[in-house]
Amino acid sequence: MPSLLYPRLDFAISQSRTDSGVSIRDLVFYNNRDHPFLEELSTDYQARQIVMEMKNVAEIERQHVDQLNRYLAPGLGHFGILVSRHELKRARRQQTVDLWSGQRKAIITLTDVDIEMMVELFESKQRLPLDVIKKKYFEFRQQCPV
């Protein structure tokens, strides 16, 4: 991921501990804000940094979304990415929409298919791998109330 997203998202830190040391964020990127989409995330979600949680499970459960939600705080921002094998089931998708509606926190999901697409874009140099994240964000926002 750091190679795919560099230089737009930079200074990736893996296994970043919270101040208390109790929780470990899988991957945290610094948002350089040098792309219009990243500037939008910075403005709309105060996303100075982007948190990614990697979940190698058959299905994302409530506690996985809750875990990432807890990490989304003023110091990091209110935009996070769950990296999962599969798309979210309806109830989990609704949970992320409810978080956006109630707290203006955006949690999107990247699946194995999305990661493969990012790698293809990176290798072909046709587009930025970041465009996959942008696409997933716009799909998420279409599900959110106006």
Side-chain angles (χ1 to χ4, degrees):
M1 282 302 220
S3 295
L4 290 175
L5 297 170
Y6 177 83
R8 304 289 187 230
L9 296 176
D10 204 0
F11 305 111
I13 301 171
S14 61
Q15 301 295 302
S16 170
R17 290 189 178 273
T18 56
D19 288 338
S20 66
V22 175
S23 299
I24 302 173
R25 298 169 293 229
D26 289 338
L27 198 53
V28 179
F29 291 92
Y30 176 73
N31 180 0
N32 283 328
R33 297 183 304 266
D34 63 351
H35 184 277
F37 172 62
L38 295 175
E39 181 62 36
E40 179 181 338
L41 293 180
S42 179
T43 301
D44 293 352
Y45 300 101
Q46 298 77 47
R48 292 176 199 83
Q49 300 179 58
I50 307 290
V51 179
M52 284 190 184
E53 273 301 301
M54 318 299 194
K55 298 298 177 193
N56 187 13
V57 295
E59 183 178 327
I60 295 293
E61 297 180 9
R62 175 174 288 283
Q63 65 263 25
H64 298 131
V65 175
D66 289 343
Q67 177 186 19
L68 180 53
N69 180 45
R70 283 191 303 275
Y71 297 154
L72 303 181
L76 291 175
H78 297 132
F79 178 83
I81 301 171
L82 274 170
V83 180
S84 172
R85 296 264 173 221
H86 310 284
E87 291 290 345
L88 298 181
K89 301 273 177 152
R90 185 174 187 273
R92 294 296 67 80
R93 219 176 29 251
Q94 187 60 49
Q95 183 183 4
T96 63
V97 169
D98 291 347
L99 284 170
W100 185 88
S101 296
Q103 301 176 30
R104 289 302 190 253
K105 292 182 178 180
I107 295 176
I108 65 167
T109 305
L110 292 177
T111 65
D112 286 350
V113 172
D114 299 319
I115 303 301
E116 288 172 14
M117 185 183 301
M118 290 172 77
V119 170
E120 287 175 19
L121 292 174
F122 179 79
E123 290 175 347
S124 71
K125 296 180 178 32
Q126 292 177 1
R127 297 182 74 154
L128 295 174
L130 181 63
D131 288 342
V132 175
I133 294 174
K134 181 178 175 181
K135 174 185 175 288
K136 296 295 286 204
Y137 171 71
F138 288 125
E139 289 171 358
F140 166 76
R141 284 296 312 212
Q142 289 174 343
Q143 298 173 37
C144 295
V146 181

